[in-house]
Amino acid sequence: DPTSVPYFSLIVVPGDTKPSPRGRKNRDSSAPGQTQPDSLVPPAAEVLVVGLGPGPDRWITPEVAEALAEVDHVIGYAPYVDRVPQREGLTRHASGNTVEVDRARAALDLALDGERVAVVSGGDAGIFGMAAAVFEAAEDPAYAEVPIRVLPGLSAVQVVAARAGAPIGGDFAVMSLSDRLKPWALIETRLRAVAQADLVLAVYNPRSRSRTTQVADMQRVLLEHRAAETVVVVGRDVGRAEESLVVTTLGELDPESIDMKCLLIVGASGTRTTSAGQAWTPRFVD
Amino acid sequence: DPTSVPYFSLIVVPGDTKPSPRGRKNRDSSAPGQTQPDSLVPPAAEVLVVGLGPGPDRWITPEVAEALAEVDHVIGYAPYVDRVPQREGLTRHASGNTVEVDRARAALDLALDGERVAVVSGGDAGIFGMAAAVFEAAEDPAYAEVPIRVLPGLSAVQVVAARAGAPIGGDFAVMSLSDRLKPWALIETRLRAVAQADLVLAVYNPRSRSRTTQVADMQRVLLEHRAAETVVVVGRDVGRAEESLVVTTLGELDPESIDMKCLLIVGASGTRTTSAGQAWTPRFVD
């Protein structure tokens, strides 16, 4: 059962092909005093960074499905790697959640050896996914020759918005509420700017096991600039069997009801609800 | 050749099945003094609002492809309708570009008659697509019983970002530069807020035949808050044969090079480029 794989860094999923680096040997094993002819060093393969979408296969693009059918290795956070079906010739590497740059380096190393690698993200790899982490790791000059290609995917904000109606029908902002990689003071500045400019706001990473106060802090900051009646959509596990969707207001939002599986959409002043309980933001602003 | 259809409102694409409303007759034709039994009125069908993605079929989700294989009618701006393959039993209705609400009403009318309809958008229907227009039309109490379901799709910002690297790797905003539906003063307020909060900015609808000054105005406003060296990505027709991608700076951006087929991404202060010319925004901010 691949889902039982423990989430530590870069283990090969049991039962998968063992990796057999093709080029590494050529690079590392030249005896002292011998010059390795360039022609024996295979060219670096491309690192693909792909988004699997927010859950079900019906949201994986044909482009990503085809790419995953052709690579030698898949690397990513274990639950995403588990979503790539095993097949002959594919090695899947599962890693923990907060080791993005280590994971990216492992992918770049494999590509340098001529192995075709896909780094997998949930959602869109370019939106709080692995794409930026791969470019971060690739700043190391050792990886200068490795091409990086990102393939887009559906992101959580899109499926929560679609499930709710059309809450991002006007201008909007997309923010991560995690202060793991940026200071909270900056997050607060951005929240105020977004609220004052009356943009719809989509919030990723509202809470984690170690970050438990951010939603309440956000609510307090936004309420200084926005009405308590502002429409708020809370999507949880949207697209999965256990999905839930709640349409509430900024004043009534209960921060304790939010966990790491939630995505929030805070409406603009014009955002409204229908009699059927859907939320939408008009295209027009008077 | 379906692409030769003139772009006026709601014509049936030549060669397509003629629409034969099933329920309308029941609703409209009851003779005076006669009461139509409720059981003879078919229930309203659902209006689907689907995003076809920004161009090639490799970006259409399986969910959208399956939905389009089952509806009786497809309604949308002609170039999007043209992308839905004709088949037995499908009627395609092509309309002009700026008649979103008329188009939405036509779809709701068909659904009220029990016809299964998909309203098609390019990109993601929820992001400057048809979803908000359908909810706008559905505010008419006549349509209260019509269920509306939105299916997400890839949006232009995602494919331009992926093609460029990872420019929306941090917090970002998404704005339409069109002042057809909101005043320019509000757009300027939002541009300033986004610039001051150092958010990456994705710009839809930068220019049209009748709106030719917005990009220069935006550039001027942003340069009051952002360095001239700020990385700017200009994607044009990304995903199509004629695609182009330019990575430039806010200072060097030539507004005259931008047309209605372009999507712009203006980086944050941390956005940088690689030696290969890709653009990316770090996940972290110091």
Side-chain angles (χ1 to χ4, degrees):
Chain A
D1 176 6
T3 61
S4 66
V5 173
Y7 297 170
F8 47 78
S9 185
L10 284 181
I11 60 158
V12 173
V13 176
D16 278 27
T17 320
K18 244 194 116 197
S20 55
R22 286 200 289 256
R24 172 57 57 97
K25 216 169 195 171
N26 286 334
R27 281 170 212 280
D28 293 348
S29 68
S30 34
Q34 286 197 330
T35 305
Q36 188 81 23
D38 277 355
S39 60
L40 290 189
V41 180
E46 181 177 66
V47 168
L48 286 173
V49 192
V50 311
L52 298 176
D57 289 352
R58 66 179 186 274
W59 287 334
I60 297 184
T61 65
E63 179 181 63
V64 167
E66 280 163 33
L68 290 174
E70 293 192 351
V71 293
D72 304 312
H73 301 267
V74 166
I75 293 186
Y77 178 40
Y80 304 138
V81 167
D82 290 344
R83 286 174 50 196
V84 180
Q86 179 51 313
R87 59 173 166 77
E88 187 70 31
L90 175 68
T91 306
R92 296 179 298 175
H93 309 261
S95 80
N97 192 8
T98 54
V99 290
E100 294 91 349
V101 177
D102 297 340
R103 200 187 290 153
R105 275 193 212 103
L108 291 160
D109 281 334
L110 283 163
L112 214 46
D113 288 339
E115 302 279 311
R116 293 170 303 173
V117 191
V119 178
V120 294
S121 270
D124 184 328
I127 300 177
F128 307 122
M130 279 296 296
V134 170
F135 282 99
E136 186 181 329
E139 285 204 309
D140 182 335
Y143 303 123
E145 62 178 300
V146 180
I148 299 167
R149 188 155 59 100
V150 182
L151 305 182
L154 282 186
S155 191
V157 58
Q158 298 174 288
V159 305
V160 172
R163 183 76 176 67
I168 54 171
D171 299 333
F172 65 99
V174 177
M175 289 181 57
S176 167
L177 220 56
S178 170
D179 57 358
R180 190 165 68 90
L181 300 163
K182 63 193 173 209
W184 177 259
L186 177 65
I187 298 174
E188 191 168 321
T189 297
R190 289 177 173 175
L191 290 172
R192 286 187 199 284
V194 166
Q196 287 174 333
D198 202 20
L199 294 162
V200 175
L201 172 64
V203 176
Y204 284 67
N205 307 318
R207 186 177 179 136
S208 74
R209 238 160 291 176
S210 57
R211 294 183 300 102
T212 58
T213 59
Q214 276 81 359
V215 178
D217 290 342
M218 174 193 80
Q219 183 181 33
R220 181 181 46 76
V221 170
L222 294 179
L223 279 170
E224 290 176 27
H225 307 280
R226 288 276 182 84
E229 295 71 35
T230 302
V231 175
V232 172
V233 173
V234 180
R236 191 171 185 284
D237 271 331
V238 166
R240 296 168 208 258
E242 60 273 27
E243 82 168 23
S244 72
L245 191 96
V246 172
V247 178
T248 180
T249 64
L250 190 55
E252 285 170 11
L253 174 68
D254 175 10
E256 292 309 308
S257 70
I258 306 301
D259 63 27
M260 61 197 301
K261 294 179 166 182
C262 292
L263 181 133
L264 278 71
I265 299 176
V266 180
S269 58
T271 306
R272 54 197 76 179
T273 55
T274 70
S275 56
Q278 288 176 293
W280 67 285
T281 302
R283 306 168 303 148
F284 53 86
V285 183
D286 297 325
Chain B
D1 177 5
T3 60
S4 65
V5 173
Y7 297 170
F8 46 80
S9 186
L10 284 180
I11 59 158
V12 173
V13 176
D16 278 26
T17 320
K18 246 193 112 194
S20 56
R22 287 201 288 257
R24 172 55 59 96
K25 216 170 194 169
N26 286 334
R27 282 170 211 279
D28 293 348
S29 67
S30 34
Q34 285 198 332
T35 306
Q36 187 81 22
D38 276 358
S39 60
L40 289 190
V41 180
E46 180 177 66
V47 168
L48 286 173
V49 192
V50 312
L52 299 176
D57 288 351
R58 66 178 185 276
W59 287 333
I60 298 185
T61 64
E63 179 181 63
V64 166
E66 280 164 33
L68 291 173
E70 294 192 352
V71 293
D72 305 311
H73 300 267
V74 167
I75 293 186
Y77 178 40
Y80 305 138
V81 167
D82 289 345
R83 286 174 51 198
V84 180
Q86 178 52 311
R87 59 173 165 77
E88 186 70 30
L90 175 69
T91 305
R92 295 179 298 175
H93 308 261
S95 80
N97 192 9
T98 54
V99 291
E100 294 91 349
V101 177
D102 297 342
R103 202 188 288 153
R105 273 193 212 103
L108 290 161
D109 281 335
L110 283 163
L112 214 45
D113 288 338
E115 302 280 310
R116 293 169 303 174
V117 191
V119 178
V120 295
S121 270
D124 183 329
I127 301 177
F128 307 123
M130 279 296 295
V134 171
F135 281 100
E136 186 181 330
E139 284 203 311
D140 183 335
Y143 303 123
E145 63 179 298
V146 181
I148 299 167
R149 189 155 59 101
V150 182
L151 304 182
L154 282 186
S155 191
V157 57
Q158 299 175 288
V159 306
V160 171
R163 183 77 176 67
I168 53 171
D171 299 333
F172 64 100
V174 177
M175 288 181 57
S176 166
L177 219 57
S178 170
D179 57 358
R180 188 164 69 90
L181 299 162
K182 63 193 174 209
W184 177 259
L186 177 64
I187 297 174
E188 192 168 319
T189 297
R190 289 178 172 174
L191 290 173
R192 286 186 198 284
V194 165
Q196 288 173 332
D198 202 20
L199 294 161
V200 175
L201 171 65
V203 176
Y204 284 68
N205 307 318
R207 187 176 177 135
S208 73
R209 238 158 292 175
S210 57
R211 294 183 301 103
T212 58
T213 59
Q214 276 81 359
V215 177
D217 290 342
M218 174 193 81
Q219 183 180 34
R220 181 181 46 74
V221 170
L222 293 180
L223 279 170
E224 290 176 28
H225 308 280
R226 289 275 182 85
E229 295 72 34
T230 302
V231 175
V232 172
V233 173
V234 180
R236 192 171 184 284
D237 271 331
V238 166
R240 297 167 207 259
E242 61 273 27
E243 82 167 25
S244 72
L245 191 95
V246 173
V247 178
T248 180
T249 64
L250 191 55
E252 285 170 11
L253 173 69
D254 175 11
E256 293 309 308
S257 70
I258 306 301
D259 64 27
M260 61 197 301
K261 293 179 167 183
C262 292
L263 181 132
L264 278 71
I265 299 176
V266 180
S269 58
T271 305
R272 55 196 76 180
T273 55
T274 70
S275 56
Q278 288 175 293
W280 66 285
T281 302
R283 305 168 302 147
F284 53 86
V285 183
D286 296 325

